[in-house]
Amino acid sequence: MSNASLNVTLRPKNISVQTQNSAAKMEQTNSDDQMLAVFVESKITVKQIMETHDPVGREINVRNLFWIIRDIIHGATSSPSISDNRDQVEGKDAHETTVALFKILSSYSWDTKLVLPLAALAVKYGELGLVSQFCSSNKLAKSVALLKQLPQDILDPEQEPDRLKHLIKGILDMTEVILALRELPSQHIVITPETPVMRTALAYIPLAVYWTIRCVVACASTIIGLTGMGHELSYMYTEETRQQEKYQLLARLIETPTADNITVLKALIRAKKDQLPLIDCSTKKMVGLGELRKKKVLLLISDLDLSHGEILILEQIFDESRAESISPFEVVWFPVLRVDKTTPLIETQFRDNLAMMKSWYSVHPPSLLDSSVVIRYIKEVWHFDKRPMLVVLDSKGAVVHKNALPMIWIWRARALPFTSLREVTLWQEEAWGTDLMVKTIQPMVTSWVPEGKYICLYGGEDIEWIRKLTTLARSIAHIARVSMEILYVGVRNPTKRIDNIMAIIDAEKLSHMLPDVTSVWLFWVRLESMWLSKLQLGNRVEKDMMMQEIKTMLSLDMCYPGWVMFSRGSAEMVRAKGDTVLDILDELVQSEERLEPTEFVPALQKHLRRIPTVRPIREELMACQGCGREIDELVRQKP
């Protein structure tokens, strides 16, 4: 073979090799692009379905239900082939239908979201299997097949396994894996949701549930034309649309001025014609919404964990407010349940709360608050999230405050007429200091401030530290020749331990203290309410000195073994953590340095600056020292 012929022979091969290399590169590029597209789509999908996820504690036995589903599907001898329209349901894109199902199932956990659509599919799949198995030997089954216009070979036992069977098998396998993952932490001590591998696996559950449900939708599309299953999925989709329309109507009614508050109340409380939707807690009789006509209405929205202490104090505050109010107002409790159906325990808890309410009304039964519309509106627009809140409607039904509860905790009857404008005015009248923090709880404080006394405010749970602190505080007051009152305010979440500590403080005459444990609880609730009130008004901590002080006070509760604040009015104030303040006070006492009264707070500040671990007062303890979370996150949690 000549060189020429060799070149001719090789040239096509070289070209072929280059072409193959180029094709391989293009294929790799396309594959990378596809992987990127899938990754981006997955991120968007997860974000979209996470926005629908709002579980409220609804529980079903998913494992038992899944066993039934599996038995039904395995019991069917065969299945129809997947048609070309398997990614559509009644003209709707499978993704759109899947997201619609997520919205309908928003209040359920991830495993329940998965099992319920699968159960709907299993029912129709099982029906198809039964008709197929018996239509040749059973007249009833044959008649059903004829009425459903099923093909004679719809489930021919002789046909080979097809794509639908494999897809359903994959769905069952994936469901088994997800259920096993959800059950794993409860079965193993070593493996917990915080275990890195477990945390990674759980992070993939939303996307896995999405694609599994989408496969259920794909299977359903095959059976739609055969068994009439389409109307169930169609109904679910239509129902979601209908609920959305009801939600928008409710929003328009609440946000559009009316001449009568009853229109808005009827939209919020879903009562049948002639049904009495309220219970008058003073008489224990059922009454109609007409009792509220032309009155200001305060909607107290909470779950059933509303404590008896909260109810008692609010009753007192509203009684004070009624005595001073020019126009009448009524309080209506909106009990938000975390589950759809009541249980004996829930019913007992509901009745116990009603028994504590002496002058309010309550929606009864709680199910009159439509969970899919009203409670959704309460959460999304009024931002209800576990913590009790108080929405104020004027006599015409207009919302004049989305949450007046913080201002009521702070100012009690002074909060009248419970409007946002009144809240702004009240803050303009206040200065930061012990007077604001304590005066509505411990009346004697109102005389201490005008008299120019120093106030030592302290909290903690270590009785030995308390004994040392109070002894040193009295000693330093004597050295500085100042008049000082010492007041114990406990801890943010008081327990029975606080009862014992307060008993010792009282018996040993260590200091003044708040009247009782409920008052201790109220002290911290008022501080939290100050923070929430400021946030609601749009204030920001970086620009609001008072918010900085409130935030610091809330964080002080996390100090061990306690904390102290010395103040005189609002001009002189210094704070320190437990052991730090003991060291400083002890040093001042031991030095026997004679302090002038005006030098007391400056001396404490001077010693604080010497300690490297203590930062300037307004920068100290701005976040939880235990977990690092910001205070605004912590105060959203119900104590």
Side-chain angles (χ1 to χ4, degrees):
M1 182 179 293
S2 66
N3 289 336
S5 63
L6 179 62
N7 289 335
V8 171
T9 304
L10 290 176
R11 191 172 293 115
K13 291 182 179 180
N14 291 336
I15 292 173
S16 175
V17 169
Q18 292 172 359
T19 303
Q20 290 174 4
N21 289 338
S22 298
K25 289 179 180 178
M26 290 178 65
E27 183 177 351
Q28 179 62 43
T29 301
N30 291 337
S31 176
D32 292 343
D33 290 343
Q34 289 172 354
M35 289 295 292
L36 179 60
V38 169
F39 175 76
V40 173
E41 182 184 1
S42 296
K43 294 276 285 185
I44 295 172
T45 300
V46 168
K47 182 177 183 297
Q48 191 173 6
I49 63 175
M50 286 301 292
E51 288 173 351
T52 70
H53 188 55
D54 186 23
V56 294
R58 296 180 178 181
E59 297 291 342
I60 66 171
N61 194 323
V62 290
R63 172 57 70 180
N64 286 351
L65 182 57
F66 179 63
W67 285 336
I68 296 171
I69 292 168
R70 189 177 57 190
D71 290 344
I72 291 173
I73 291 175
H74 287 166
T77 56
S78 188
S79 58
S81 298
I82 298 178
S83 58
D84 291 336
N85 72 330
R86 62 185 175 274
D87 204 37
Q88 291 185 339
V89 176
E90 301 210 324
K92 299 293 183 182
D93 178 76
H95 170 73
E96 187 178 352
T97 304
T98 305
V99 172
L101 290 173
F102 271 100
K103 290 179 180 178
I104 294 168
L105 301 168
S106 64
S107 58
Y108 292 100
S109 60
W110 292 110
D111 48 355
T112 307
K113 288 182 201 292
L114 175 55
V115 171
L116 289 179
L118 185 55
L121 176 66
V123 168
K124 291 302 178 181
Y125 191 83
E127 285 181 5
L128 199 60
L130 287 172
V131 171
S132 172
Q133 290 177 32
F134 297 106
C135 65
S136 60
S137 59
N138 185 287
K139 290 183 178 181
L140 177 60
K142 185 175 182 179
S143 299
V144 170
L146 289 172
L147 287 175
K148 286 182 173 286
Q149 297 182 336
L150 300 178
Q152 290 185 356
D153 62 347
I154 184 62
L155 280 179
D156 184 357
E158 301 299 325
Q159 71 177 12
E160 294 296 323
D162 54 30
R163 288 180 292 176
L164 182 58
K165 268 190 149 182
H166 289 302
L167 183 54
I168 291 178
K169 182 181 183 302
I171 290 171
L172 293 177
D173 291 345
M174 178 56 74
T175 304
E176 178 63 53
V177 170
I178 291 173
L179 294 187
L181 276 173
R182 298 284 292 178
E183 295 165 352
L184 195 58
S186 64
Q187 298 172 354
H188 295 270
I189 298 175
V190 177
I191 301 177
T192 69
E194 299 306 317
T195 304
V197 175
M198 190 65 185
R199 189 165 61 244
T200 302
L202 293 176
Y204 282 100
I205 283 183
L207 192 60
V209 172
Y210 165 82
W211 280 109
T212 310
I213 292 180
R214 184 157 171 173
C215 288
V216 171
V217 171
C219 293
S221 69
T222 298
I223 306 175
I224 279 174
L226 302 175
T227 65
M229 180 185 175
H231 79 278
E232 275 89 354
L233 287 177
S234 175
Y235 171 78
M236 293 180 77
Y237 189 83
T238 304
E239 177 65 12
E240 194 274 334
T241 304
R242 190 171 69 87
Q243 294 298 329
Q244 181 63 21
E245 291 173 352
K246 287 174 63 179
Y247 178 85
Q248 292 170 351
L249 176 61
L250 174 66
R252 286 196 298 271
L253 281 172
I254 294 175
E255 294 159 17
T256 303
T258 63
D260 191 351
N261 62 352
I262 298 299
T263 303
V264 172
L265 292 169
K266 282 184 177 179
L268 289 168
I269 303 172
R270 184 190 57 181
K272 297 177 182 178
K273 187 177 180 180
D274 300 328
Q275 181 180 10
L276 300 176
L278 301 177
I279 183 169
D280 183 339
C281 296
S282 62
T283 64
K284 307 305 178 188
K285 293 181 180 180
M286 299 303 298
V287 297
L289 294 175
E291 300 290 322
L292 308 175
R293 191 181 300 275
K294 300 296 184 181
K295 295 180 181 179
K296 178 173 288 186
V297 179
L298 281 54
L299 306 178
L300 179 61
I301 303 169
S302 77
D303 58 23
L304 296 185
D305 289 336
L306 191 67
S307 73
H308 290 179
E310 287 176 277
I311 296 172
L312 181 62
I313 297 173
L314 286 173
E315 284 272 7
Q316 295 172 353
I317 294 173
F318 291 137
D319 286 346
E320 294 171 10
S321 302
R322 282 193 180 92
E324 298 183 17
S325 178
I326 298 173
S327 56
F329 69 85
E330 300 292 350
V331 180
V332 179
W333 182 34
F334 270 35
V336 177
L337 302 185
R338 297 178 185 175
V339 293
D340 274 348
K341 295 181 179 180
T342 58
T343 63
L345 180 60
I346 289 174
E347 184 66 25
T348 299
Q349 196 172 5
F350 175 65
R351 294 286 180 185
D352 286 346
N353 283 346
L354 283 182
M356 292 292 297
M357 299 173 184
K358 305 303 182 184
S359 59
W360 304 350
Y361 295 93
S362 172
V363 175
H364 186 49
S367 58
L368 292 181
L369 298 177
D370 189 337
S371 61
S372 59
V373 177
V374 176
I375 294 180
R376 177 187 165 194
Y377 184 88
I378 288 171
K379 289 180 177 180
E380 293 183 4
V381 180
W382 291 344
H383 307 300
F384 171 70
D385 182 20
K386 296 183 181 179
R387 294 182 64 89
M389 62 182 298
L390 193 76
V391 177
V392 182
L393 306 179
D394 67 13
S395 59
K396 294 182 179 179
V399 177
V400 293
H401 205 308
K402 287 186 178 179
N403 186 12
L405 198 55
M407 69 185 295
I408 287 173
W409 285 130
I410 300 167
W411 292 289
R412 298 179 72 98
R414 287 182 62 203
L416 279 166
F418 311 126
T419 63
S420 297
L421 181 60
R422 177 57 177 163
E423 191 170 18
V424 172
T425 303
L426 286 168
W427 275 121
Q428 291 171 346
E429 298 171 356
E430 294 290 358
W432 177 250
T434 308
D435 192 37
L436 172 62
M437 286 187 278
V438 187
K439 63 183 177 183
T440 61
I441 309 173
Q442 181 53 281
M444 68 175 69
V445 175
T446 57
S447 64
W448 295 347
V449 175
E451 292 171 5
K453 292 184 175 182
Y454 282 89
I455 300 173
C456 171
L457 208 68
Y458 73 99
E461 292 184 283
D462 188 323
I463 190 61
E464 290 305 318
W465 176 84
I466 290 172
R467 288 186 175 114
K468 292 176 184 176
L469 169 71
T470 53
T471 300
L472 285 170
R474 281 193 291 270
S475 297
I476 197 67
H478 176 73
I479 292 172
R481 293 173 295 160
V482 298
S483 177
M484 181 184 293
E485 302 290 351
I486 308 172
L487 178 64
Y488 178 65
V489 295
V491 295
R492 180 169 175 254
N493 294 317
T495 62
K496 290 183 178 180
R497 179 179 172 83
I498 295 299
D499 269 325
N500 297 331
I501 291 173
M502 293 177 73
I504 294 171
I505 291 173
D506 183 51
E508 299 181 11
K509 308 298 181 187
L510 298 178
S511 70
H512 297 290
M513 57 188 180
L514 298 179
D516 49 39
V517 174
T518 301
S519 299
V520 170
W521 171 85
L522 183 58
F523 171 83
W524 293 100
V525 166
R526 288 184 72 256
L527 277 178
E528 293 170 4
S529 298
M530 293 175 197
W531 176 260
L532 293 172
S533 173
K534 289 276 189 176
L535 282 181
Q536 288 179 172
L537 293 174
N539 296 31
R540 291 293 175 263
V541 66
E542 60 272 12
K543 296 182 179 180
D544 189 319
M545 181 278 292
M546 197 177 292
M547 286 188 75
Q548 295 169 16
E549 298 289 348
I550 296 166
K551 194 172 186 178
T552 302
M553 282 300 300
L554 288 170
S555 65
L556 282 171
D557 178 57
M558 300 156 194
C559 295
Y560 183 82
W563 58 271
V564 182
M565 182 178 81
F566 292 100
S567 68
R568 185 171 68 167
S570 58
E572 300 178 53
M573 193 175 298
V574 62
R575 292 176 296 272
K577 294 183 286 186
D579 289 334
T580 300
V581 75
L582 291 187
D583 292 341
I584 293 171
L585 293 177
D586 187 57
E587 185 177 342
L588 286 171
V589 170
Q590 295 300 325
S591 67
E592 297 183 353
E593 178 183 350
R594 190 170 184 83
L595 296 174
E596 293 298 322
T598 56
E599 296 175 347
F600 176 60
V601 170
L604 291 175
Q605 291 173 330
K606 179 181 177 182
H607 280 73
L608 276 171
R609 293 191 189 101
R610 286 186 199 163
I611 303 173
T613 56
V614 178
R615 292 174 286 169
I617 294 168
R618 289 177 186 169
E619 298 175 9
E620 188 178 5
L621 296 168
M622 300 301 281
C624 169
Q625 304 301 294
C627 63
R629 287 181 293 174
E630 286 295 310
I631 296 301
D632 56 346
E633 177 184 350
L634 290 170
V635 299
R636 283 198 299 268
Q637 299 175 356
K638 187 172 180 179

